[in-house]
PDB file of all heavy atoms in Angstrom:
ATOM      1  N   CYS A  45     -51.627 -40.029  -8.659  1.00 98.00           N
ATOM      2  CA  CYS A  45     -53.028 -40.034  -8.131  1.00 98.00           C
ATOM      3  C   CYS A  45     -53.476 -38.470  -8.007  1.00 98.00           C
ATOM      4  O   CYS A  45     -54.601 -38.155  -8.352  1.00 98.00           O
ATOM      5  CB  CYS A  45     -53.265 -40.816  -6.934  1.00 98.00           C
ATOM      6  SG  CYS A  45     -53.152 -42.584  -7.219  1.00 98.00           S
ATOM      7  N   ASN A  46     -52.683 -37.680  -7.380  1.00 98.00           N
ATOM      8  CA  ASN A  46     -53.090 -36.283  -7.129  1.00 98.00           C
ATOM      9  C   ASN A  46     -53.201 -35.463  -8.432  1.00 98.00           C
ATOM     10  O   ASN A  46     -53.610 -34.331  -8.344  1.00 98.00           O
ATOM     11  CB  ASN A  46     -52.140 -35.625  -6.001  1.00 98.00           C
ATOM     12  CG  ASN A  46     -50.771 -35.478  -6.446  1.00 98.00           C
ATOM     13  OD1 ASN A  46     -50.381 -35.638  -7.585  1.00 98.00           O
ATOM     14  ND2 ASN A  46     -49.974 -35.046  -5.524  1.00 98.00           N
ATOM     15  N   GLY A  47     -52.838 -36.046  -9.551  1.00 98.00           N
ATOM     16  CA  GLY A  47     -53.183 -35.343 -10.837  1.00 98.00           C
ATOM     17  C   GLY A  47     -54.110 -36.049 -11.660  1.00 98.00           C
ATOM     18  O   GLY A  47     -54.217 -35.887 -12.783  1.00 98.00           O
ATOM     19  N   CYS A  48     -54.937 -37.018 -11.064  1.00 98.00           N
ATOM     20  CA  CYS A  48     -55.880 -37.956 -11.690  1.00 98.00           C
ATOM     21  C   CYS A  48     -57.290 -37.313 -11.379  1.00 98.00           C
ATOM     22  O   CYS A  48     -57.605 -36.917 -10.372  1.00 98.00           O
ATOM     23  CB  CYS A  48     -55.715 -39.330 -11.164  1.00 98.00           C
ATOM     24  SG  CYS A  48     -56.967 -40.458 -11.687  1.00 98.00           S
ATOM     25  N   GLN A  49     -58.129 -37.416 -12.496  1.00 98.00           N
ATOM     26  CA  GLN A  49     -59.408 -36.994 -12.503  1.00 98.00           C
ATOM     27  C   GLN A  49     -60.237 -37.592 -11.400  1.00 98.00           C
ATOM     28  O   GLN A  49     -61.250 -37.197 -10.915  1.00 98.00           O
ATOM     29  CB  GLN A  49     -60.045 -37.236 -13.882  1.00 98.00           C
ATOM     30  CG  GLN A  49     -61.458 -36.637 -14.230  1.00 98.00           C
ATOM     31  CD  GLN A  49     -61.446 -35.064 -14.031  1.00 98.00           C
ATOM     32  OE1 GLN A  49     -60.467 -34.434 -14.419  1.00 98.00           O
ATOM     33  NE2 GLN A  49     -62.569 -34.528 -13.471  1.00 98.00           N
ATOM     34  N   LEU A  50     -59.867 -38.900 -11.077  1.00 98.00           N
ATOM     35  CA  LEU A  50     -60.633 -39.751 -10.162  1.00 98.00           C
ATOM     36  C   LEU A  50     -60.377 -39.565  -8.673  1.00 98.00           C
ATOM     37  O   LEU A  50     -60.878 -40.180  -7.765  1.00 98.00           O
ATOM     38  CB  LEU A  50     -60.564 -41.186 -10.612  1.00 98.00           C
ATOM     39  CG  LEU A  50     -61.135 -41.315 -12.146  1.00 98.00           C
ATOM     40  CD1 LEU A  50     -60.361 -42.549 -12.699  1.00 98.00           C
ATOM     41  CD2 LEU A  50     -62.621 -41.571 -12.045  1.00 98.00           C
ATOM     42  N   TYR A  51     -59.378 -38.758  -8.478  1.00 98.00           N
ATOM     43  CA  TYR A  51     -58.882 -38.583  -7.112  1.00 98.00           C
ATOM     44  C   TYR A  51     -59.574 -37.246  -6.472  1.00 98.00           C
ATOM     45  O   TYR A  51     -59.642 -36.272  -7.181  1.00 98.00           O
ATOM     46  CB  TYR A  51     -57.449 -38.195  -7.232  1.00 98.00           C
ATOM     47  CG  TYR A  51     -56.623 -37.977  -5.864  1.00 98.00           C
ATOM     48  CD1 TYR A  51     -56.220 -39.051  -4.988  1.00 98.00           C
ATOM     49  CD2 TYR A  51     -56.318 -36.679  -5.566  1.00 98.00           C
ATOM     50  CE1 TYR A  51     -55.664 -38.829  -3.893  1.00 98.00           C
ATOM     51  CE2 TYR A  51     -55.467 -36.428  -4.368  1.00 98.00           C
ATOM     52  CZ  TYR A  51     -55.245 -37.590  -3.515  1.00 98.00           C
ATOM     53  OH  TYR A  51     -54.447 -37.268  -2.446  1.00 98.00           O
ATOM     54  N   SER A  52     -59.877 -37.260  -5.323  1.00 97.00           N
ATOM     55  CA  SER A  52     -60.560 -36.144  -4.641  1.00 97.00           C
ATOM     56  C   SER A  52     -59.994 -35.749  -3.351  1.00 97.00           C
ATOM     57  O   SER A  52     -60.531 -35.152  -2.449  1.00 97.00           O
ATOM     58  CB  SER A  52     -62.034 -36.349  -4.419  1.00 97.00           C
ATOM     59  OG  SER A  52     -62.308 -37.566  -3.821  1.00 97.00           O
ATOM     60  N   GLY A  53     -58.675 -36.018  -3.037  1.00 96.00           N
ATOM     61  CA  GLY A  53     -57.969 -35.603  -1.903  1.00 96.00           C
ATOM     62  C   GLY A  53     -57.556 -34.057  -2.071  1.00 96.00           C
ATOM     63  O   GLY A  53     -57.514 -33.438  -3.129  1.00 96.00           O
ATOM     64  N   ALA A  54     -57.279 -33.371  -0.840  1.00 95.00           N
ATOM     65  CA  ALA A  54     -56.832 -32.095  -0.914  1.00 95.00           C
ATOM     66  C   ALA A  54     -55.505 -32.008  -1.456  1.00 95.00           C
ATOM     67  O   ALA A  54     -54.673 -32.888  -1.463  1.00 95.00           O
ATOM     68  CB  ALA A  54     -56.856 -31.634   0.561  1.00 95.00           C
ATOM     69  N   ALA A  55     -55.231 -30.804  -2.047  1.00 90.00           N
ATOM     70  CA  ALA A  55     -53.902 -30.625  -2.846  1.00 90.00           C
ATOM     71  C   ALA A  55     -52.712 -30.920  -2.020  1.00 90.00           C
ATOM     72  O   ALA A  55     -51.669 -31.525  -2.412  1.00 90.00           O
ATOM     73  CB  ALA A  55     -53.875 -29.293  -3.153  1.00 90.00           C
ATOM     74  N   SER A  56     -52.711 -30.652  -0.631  1.00 93.00           N
ATOM     75  CA  SER A  56     -51.547 -30.825   0.175  1.00 93.00           C
ATOM     76  C   SER A  56     -51.595 -32.322   0.920  1.00 93.00           C
ATOM     77  O   SER A  56     -50.535 -32.596   1.548  1.00 93.00           O
ATOM     78  CB  SER A  56     -51.443 -29.757   1.246  1.00 93.00           C
ATOM     79  OG  SER A  56     -52.650 -29.792   2.035  1.00 93.00           O
ATOM     80  N   ALA A  57     -52.655 -33.095   0.819  1.00 96.00           N
ATOM     81  CA  ALA A  57     -52.787 -34.275   1.524  1.00 96.00           C
ATOM     82  C   ALA A  57     -51.896 -35.368   0.983  1.00 96.00           C
ATOM     83  O   ALA A  57     -51.607 -35.284  -0.207  1.00 96.00           O
ATOM     84  CB  ALA A  57     -54.145 -34.751   1.492  1.00 96.00           C
ATOM     85  N   LYS A  58     -51.439 -36.293   1.759  1.00 97.00           N
ATOM     86  CA  LYS A  58     -50.707 -37.355   1.372  1.00 97.00           C
ATOM     87  C   LYS A  58     -51.462 -38.621   0.770  1.00 97.00           C
ATOM     88  O   LYS A  58     -50.883 -39.425   0.199  1.00 97.00           O
ATOM     89  CB  LYS A  58     -49.838 -37.951   2.583  1.00 97.00           C
ATOM     90  CG  LYS A  58     -48.685 -37.121   2.960  1.00 97.00           C
ATOM     91  CD  LYS A  58     -47.701 -37.882   3.793  1.00 97.00           C
ATOM     92  CE  LYS A  58     -46.376 -37.131   3.977  1.00 97.00           C
ATOM     93  NZ  LYS A  58     -46.237 -36.280   5.246  1.00 97.00           N
ATOM     94  N   GLU A  59     -52.670 -38.520   1.043  1.00 97.00           N
ATOM     95  CA  GLU A  59     -53.596 -39.570   0.507  1.00 97.00           C
ATOM     96  C   GLU A  59     -55.024 -38.824   0.347  1.00 97.00           C
ATOM     97  O   GLU A  59     -55.245 -37.977   0.929  1.00 97.00           O
ATOM     98  CB  GLU A  59     -53.688 -40.810   1.334  1.00 97.00           C
ATOM     99  CG  GLU A  59     -54.055 -40.586   2.639  1.00 97.00           C
ATOM    100  CD  GLU A  59     -53.802 -41.786   3.698  1.00 97.00           C
ATOM    101  OE1 GLU A  59     -53.080 -42.699   3.221  1.00 97.00           O
ATOM    102  OE2 GLU A  59     -54.445 -41.710   4.741  1.00 97.00           O
ATOM    103  N   GLY A  60     -55.870 -39.583  -0.512  1.00 98.00           N
ATOM    104  CA  GLY A  60     -57.207 -39.103  -0.658  1.00 98.00           C
ATOM    105  C   GLY A  60     -58.059 -40.109  -1.296  1.00 98.00           C
ATOM    106  O   GLY A  60     -57.553 -41.115  -1.827  1.00 98.00           O
ATOM    107  N   PRO A  61     -59.497 -39.932  -1.273  1.00 98.00           N
ATOM    108  CA  PRO A  61     -60.271 -40.897  -1.982  1.00 98.00           C
ATOM    109  C   PRO A  61     -60.175 -41.022  -3.481  1.00 98.00           C
ATOM    110  O   PRO A  61     -59.873 -40.003  -4.132  1.00 98.00           O
ATOM    111  CB  PRO A  61     -61.764 -40.279  -1.517  1.00 98.00           C
ATOM    112  CG  PRO A  61     -61.475 -39.237  -0.533  1.00 98.00           C
ATOM    113  CD  PRO A  61     -60.034 -38.650  -0.748  1.00 98.00           C
ATOM    114  N   CYS A  62     -60.404 -42.241  -3.925  1.00 98.00           N
ATOM    115  CA  CYS A  62     -60.446 -42.601  -5.311  1.00 98.00           C
ATOM    116  C   CYS A  62     -61.741 -43.188  -5.702  1.00 98.00           C
ATOM    117  O   CYS A  62     -62.233 -44.002  -5.159  1.00 98.00           O
ATOM    118  CB  CYS A  62     -59.210 -43.396  -5.729  1.00 98.00           C
ATOM    119  SG  CYS A  62     -59.369 -44.144  -7.424  1.00 98.00           S
ATOM    120  N   ALA A  63     -62.359 -42.653  -6.746  1.00 97.00           N
ATOM    121  CA  ALA A  63     -63.563 -43.088  -7.160  1.00 97.00           C
ATOM    122  C   ALA A  63     -63.587 -44.471  -7.772  1.00 97.00           C
ATOM    123  O   ALA A  63     -64.528 -45.274  -7.572  1.00 97.00           O
ATOM    124  CB  ALA A  63     -64.207 -42.143  -8.323  1.00 97.00           C
TER     125      ALA A  63
END
Side-chain angles (χ1 to χ4, degrees):
C45 290
N46 63 9
C48 173
Q49 187 64 35
L50 299 153
Y51 181 80
S52 54
S56 59
K58 288 205 164 92
E59 57 190 17
C62 168

